[in-house]
């Protein structure tokens, strides 16, 4: 069957079971959009306000559904506007295919109108990328791109298609997508036996679980593993929803804003079992801080072994497979004394102060309303840490946040993608007023598509996290972090066509949340908090992770 490149692209996307694309049209992709028009009953296109929003939406869609997210943009600035979203997906191992148009092949390299070398620009932030110079190569490239995006450690792949390639014709024959198999070829008997030996010999094992648990879908395997060896479990930011937060072995998040129990346990254990985590500087700070423990690292990506921290033993492979292999071979352990010490470090539920609006009070209310179906997306900053610390996650793929890149402006686009892919769940995007200002235009995308997202703006009139650092480490020199913006977020949301409420006192929370949850479309809640409110506990940059600063320390200087 002889088809144009644009037709081949759309049919190939359908072959890959793509149902949704997030994008923004332009001259170089007109042929593609013309074909999308013909297939609009089969592929739902979500028009965002900005290409960066499209990339974040594809990312959020992938995280919430486990499918490949797809975004589409035109050449030049359209393509470069995807870059931050691609980098965000790359840092957090999100399967995504970004499709860009480009000028005709005869105009490449001539500084033509709206021409950029997007494959050169994105080479460091993609698993692989392509420029399609021959329409005869297009179908196989698309097939390979979807395979690469999903196999092993997932990540974004970019396909750049010059305009003449979308118009030229080639033979198309339906191709079956490449089967994705779990990575196991590097799992050796020797590495398994060494791990078993370390686990069985340990008296104070401690588990540091990362984003790889959720990517692998290994939540149940992690629970079974932790329960068999009776080991406390901490999670990185990327693993918050991949281990039930109410489990008796859970010690909370680890790292700069981690719990006392997690951070101290990491320095007191005799075996640190690291699962699908990369020893980020925001988690471990420095290898010397965990020098008392042997380290077992299990990861699907061999490049992560010994990259940031020297380990004593490692297994390279898919976590679900590795844990399945280890479970019947390890000894059941007691560790009562060790668990007792860790449990003593767990903080009891704090008495909430009800005379002012605080993050803790808001999340306490959200927890009481959550039936397990809430999805929380966030921007980046204090509100992100408060969500991780205080919301009680029960199910995997319900926490969507930018971990590795820390992208302000990520959350609302990601919420749009998540809500589009998971219509059976209710998505909340938690933002600070600083982050919300970066992507508030996408609220109208939610309105147009009637997505029942609840956008909460934790409004403290400042760039809260940067201000917190200025307060603690820069002698309160608040350089350019006080916003002093006269924006009325309620009126802004209403101008975009959505509903909006403002909360200024605790007694308003219940009624507003009830109204928001009853709404069939998007809602914004302007939630006012004090600009001196800080995220605690905290570890100073470069300090050992057991040197924890809390609110009392600040009061006592």
């Amino acid at each position: 069957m002889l088809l144009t490149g644009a037709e081949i692209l759309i049919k190939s996307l359908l072959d890959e079971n793509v149902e949704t694309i997030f994008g923004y049209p332009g001259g170089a992709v007109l042929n593609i959009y013309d074909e999308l028009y013909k297939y609009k009953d089969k592929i739902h296109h979500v028009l965002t306000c900005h290409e960066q929003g499209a990339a974040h939406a594809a990312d959020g869609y992938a995280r919430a559904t486990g499918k490949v997210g797809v975004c589409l943009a035109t050449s030049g600035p359209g393509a470069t506007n995807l870059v931050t979203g691609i980098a965000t997906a790359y840092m957090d191992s999100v399967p995504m295919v970004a499709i860009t148009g480009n000028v005709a092949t005869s105009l490449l390299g001539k500084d033509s109108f709206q021409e950029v070398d997007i494959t050169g620009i994105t080479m460091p932030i993609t698993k692989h990328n392509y420029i399609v110079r021959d329409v005869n190569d297009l179908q196989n490239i698309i097939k390979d791109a979807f395979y690469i995006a999903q196999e092993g450690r997932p990540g974004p792949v970019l396909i750049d298609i010059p305009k003449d390639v979308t118009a030229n014709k080639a033979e198309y024959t339906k191709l079956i997508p490449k089967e994705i198999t779990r990575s196991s070829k590097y799992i050796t008997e020797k590495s398994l036996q060494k791990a078993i030996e370390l686990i069985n010999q340990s008296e104070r094992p401690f588990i540091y679980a990362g984003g790889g648990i959720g990517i692998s879908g290994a939540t149940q395997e992690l629970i079974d593993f932790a329960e068999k060896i009776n080991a406390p479990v901490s999670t990185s930011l990327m693993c918050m929803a991949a281990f039930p937060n109410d489990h008796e072995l859970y010690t909370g998040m680890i790292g700069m804003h981690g719990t006392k129990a997690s951070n101290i346990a990491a320095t007191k254990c005799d075996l640190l079992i690291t699962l699908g985590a990369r020893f980020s500087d925001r988690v471990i700070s420095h290898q010397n801080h965990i020098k008392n423990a042997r380290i077992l690292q299990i990861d699907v990506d061999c490049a992560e072994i010994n990259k940031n921290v020297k380990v004593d033993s490692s297994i390279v492979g898919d976590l679900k497979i590795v844990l399945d292999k280890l479970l019947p071979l390890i000894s059941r352990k007691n560790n009562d004394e060790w668990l007792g010490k860790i449990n003593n470090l767990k903080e009891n539920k704090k008495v909430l102060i009800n005379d002012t609006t605080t993050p803790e009070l808001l999340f306490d209310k959200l927890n009481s309303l959550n039936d397990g179906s809430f999805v929380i997306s966030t921007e980046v900053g204090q509100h992100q840490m408060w969500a991780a610390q205080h919301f009680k996650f029960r199910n995997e793929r319900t926490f969507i946040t930018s971990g590795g890149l820390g992208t302000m402006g990520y959350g609302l686009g990601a919420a749009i993608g998540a809500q589009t892919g998971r219509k059976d769940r209710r998505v909340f995007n938690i933002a600070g007023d600083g982050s919300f200002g970066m992507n508030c235009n996408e609220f109208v995308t939610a309105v147009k598509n009637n997505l029942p997202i609840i956008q909460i703006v934790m409004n403290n009139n400042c760039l809260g996290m940067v201000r917190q650092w200025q307060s603690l480490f820069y002698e309160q020199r608040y350089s350019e972090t006080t916003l002093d913006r006269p924006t009325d977020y309620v009126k802004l949301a209403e101008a975009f066509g959505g509903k909006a409420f403002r909360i200024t006192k605790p007694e308003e929370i219940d009624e507003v949340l009830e109204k928001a949850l009853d709404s069939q479309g998007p809602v914004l809640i302007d939630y006012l908090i004090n600009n001196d409110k800080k995220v605690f506990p905290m570890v100073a940059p470069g300090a050992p992770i057991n040197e924890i600063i809390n609110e009392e320390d600040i009061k006592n200087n």
Side-chain angles (χ1 to χ4, degrees):
M1 187 189 311
L2 200 63
L3 300 178
T4 66
E7 290 174 306
I8 289 170
L9 171 62
I10 301 305
K11 285 191 175 292
S12 296
L13 292 176
L14 289 170
D15 291 344
E16 296 291 340
N17 300 311
V18 172
E19 299 171 339
T20 304
I21 293 177
F22 304 90
Y24 203 96
V29 289
L30 276 174
N31 294 330
I32 297 171
Y33 271 89
D34 190 53
E35 208 59 40
L36 270 173
Y37 182 85
K38 301 171 189 175
Y39 283 87
K40 59 186 175 183
D41 59 328
K42 294 185 178 179
I43 296 180
H44 174 51
H45 181 277
V46 177
L47 175 66
T48 57
C49 291
H50 191 284
E51 292 90 352
Q52 183 175 338
H56 293 326
D59 175 309
Y61 177 91
R63 297 196 206 211
T65 64
K67 302 175 184 177
V68 178
V70 181
C71 56
L72 172 61
T74 193
S75 63
T80 57
N81 282 344
L82 294 178
V83 169
T84 298
I86 293 170
T88 302
Y90 181 75
M91 288 290 280
D92 290 344
S93 305
V94 178
M96 187 167 87
V97 171
I99 300 165
T100 55
N102 212 330
V103 299
T105 51
S106 61
L107 297 175
L108 290 172
K110 297 181 179 180
D111 293 334
S112 304
F113 176 68
Q114 289 194 334
E115 179 200 358
V116 294
D117 177 13
I118 194 63
T119 55
I121 290 169
T122 60
M123 188 176 293
I125 56 167
T126 52
K127 279 188 76 177
H128 196 68
N129 62 27
Y130 303 86
I131 180 166
V132 187
R133 296 177 181 272
D134 185 339
V135 68
N136 293 289
D137 299 328
L138 178 59
Q139 189 178 4
N140 281 322
I141 285 175
I142 295 164
K143 181 180 177 181
D144 289 343
F146 274 82
Y147 176 77
I148 292 169
Q150 297 172 85
E151 66 86 31
R153 181 178 183 174
V157 178
L158 180 134
I159 307 171
D160 190 38
I161 312 175
K163 188 171 183 179
D164 57 323
V165 173
T166 65
N168 295 339
K169 292 189 174 182
E171 282 294 328
Y172 162 83
T173 304
K174 182 180 175 71
L175 297 177
I176 304 300
K178 288 186 178 182
E179 184 182 357
I180 306 298
T181 57
R182 293 181 178 274
S183 178
S184 61
K185 63 180 178 180
Y186 297 117
I187 303 173
T188 65
E189 192 64 31
K190 183 178 178 181
S191 64
L192 287 170
Q193 287 303 319
K194 178 62 174 174
I196 293 163
E197 179 184 320
L198 286 174
I199 294 166
N200 287 344
Q201 289 177 354
S202 67
E203 296 179 353
R204 301 186 307 279
F206 181 62
I207 296 171
Y208 156 36
I213 292 291
I215 292 168
S216 177
T219 290
Q220 189 57 54
E221 286 75 12
L222 174 56
I223 293 170
D224 294 342
F225 178 72
E227 289 178 347
K228 188 165 185 180
I229 65 171
N230 252 319
V233 179
S234 68
T235 59
S236 71
L237 184 69
M238 301 311 301
C239 189
M240 288 300 302
F243 190 83
N245 292 186
D246 57 356
H247 195 284
E248 62 181 358
L249 291 173
Y250 186 57
T251 59
M253 186 167 64
I254 187 172
M256 179 173 281
H257 292 290
T259 64
K260 181 180 178 181
S262 291
N263 285 10
I264 291 179
T267 63
K268 299 296 184 184
C269 65
D270 63 1
L271 177 64
L272 181 62
I273 304 169
T274 304
L275 306 174
R278 59 187 176 84
F279 291 105
S280 162
D281 57 297
R282 285 297 175 97
V283 170
I284 218 66
S285 192
H286 194 281
Q287 181 176 2
N288 289 342
H289 304 156
I290 51 171
K291 60 187 177 183
N292 295 323
R294 290 184 176 185
I295 302 173
L296 167 62
Q297 185 176 10
I298 303 174
D299 202 286
V300 74
D301 186 358
C302 60
E304 290 299 337
I305 308 298
N306 292 316
K307 185 178 84 173
N308 293 327
V309 168
K310 177 106 175 126
V311 302
D312 297 277
S313 183
S314 62
I315 303 174
V316 176
D318 183 274
L319 281 164
K320 195 178 184 75
I321 292 178
V322 174
L323 292 176
D324 271 340
K325 287 181 177 293
L326 286 176
L327 267 169
L329 302 174
I330 54 177
S331 302
R332 188 167 294 279
K333 301 172 75 67
N334 233 318
N335 305 324
D336 286 346
E337 184 180 350
W338 169 236
L339 285 174
K341 289 179 179 178
I342 299 305
N343 286 333
N344 287 336
L345 293 171
K346 290 183 180 179
E347 295 180 0
N348 295 324
K349 183 175 174 63
K350 294 182 177 179
V351 176
L352 294 176
I353 299 172
N354 289 303
D355 61 353
T356 185
T357 49
T358 63
E360 294 90 340
L361 191 59
L362 175 65
F363 286 111
D364 188 64
K365 298 290 187 182
L366 288 175
N367 285 327
S368 69
L369 294 169
N370 184 21
D371 60 0
S373 67
F374 288 179
V375 174
I376 302 293
S377 66
T378 78
E379 307 293 342
V380 171
Q382 286 180 314
H383 59 276
Q384 178 190 32
M385 294 298 104
W386 286 322
Q389 289 176 339
H390 302 299
F391 190 79
K392 301 305 177 187
F393 296 94
R394 304 185 203 171
N395 298 307
E396 55 190 339
R397 299 195 180 278
T398 57
F399 187 42
I400 297 172
T401 193
S402 171
L405 198 64
T407 306
M408 291 177 69
Y410 166 81
L412 185 50
I416 288 167
Q419 190 71 80
T420 300
R422 293 302 305 266
K423 293 182 172 59
D424 58 325
R425 296 187 178 275
R426 199 65 184 268
V427 179
F428 290 75
N429 183 49
I430 312 297
D433 47 332
S435 284
F436 184 66
M438 290 190 171
N439 71 350
C440 60
N441 53 343
E442 296 301 346
F443 192 78
V444 76
T445 305
V447 172
K448 180 184 175 185
N449 290 275
N450 199 34
L451 298 172
I453 293 165
I454 298 175
Q455 168 66 64
I456 300 177
V457 180
M458 304 192 82
N459 186 353
N460 57 6
N461 194 37
C462 67
L463 302 178
M465 188 61 87
V466 186
R467 188 180 191 276
Q468 176 167 330
W469 281 47
Q470 289 173 334
S471 177
L472 298 178
F473 310 120
Y474 291 86
E475 298 178 340
Q476 300 181 359
R477 292 187 294 273
Y478 299 127
S479 177
E480 301 302 324
T481 51
T482 302
L483 296 177
D484 280 335
R485 292 172 179 166
T487 308
D488 185 324
Y489 295 111
V490 170
K491 289 181 179 178
L492 180 68
E494 290 173 345
F496 279 141
K499 292 182 180 179
F501 305 95
R502 180 173 290 114
I503 297 175
T504 61
K505 48 192 177 182
E507 53 265 34
E508 297 170 337
I509 298 176
D510 287 335
E511 182 183 357
V512 168
L513 287 177
E514 185 179 332
K515 287 179 179 178
L517 287 166
D518 284 343
S519 174
Q520 301 303 305
V523 176
L524 181 142
I525 299 172
D526 186 16
Y527 187 78
L528 274 59
I529 60 172
N530 189 289
N531 63 6
D532 277 327
K533 179 67 177 175
K534 295 179 175 61
V535 181
F536 290 114
M538 180 183 184
V539 176
I545 62 170
N546 60 337
E547 291 187 4
I548 300 161
I549 303 170
N550 56 40
E551 210 155 2
E552 290 71 30
D553 295 325
I554 301 303
K555 289 176 182 176
N556 298 327
N557 200 27

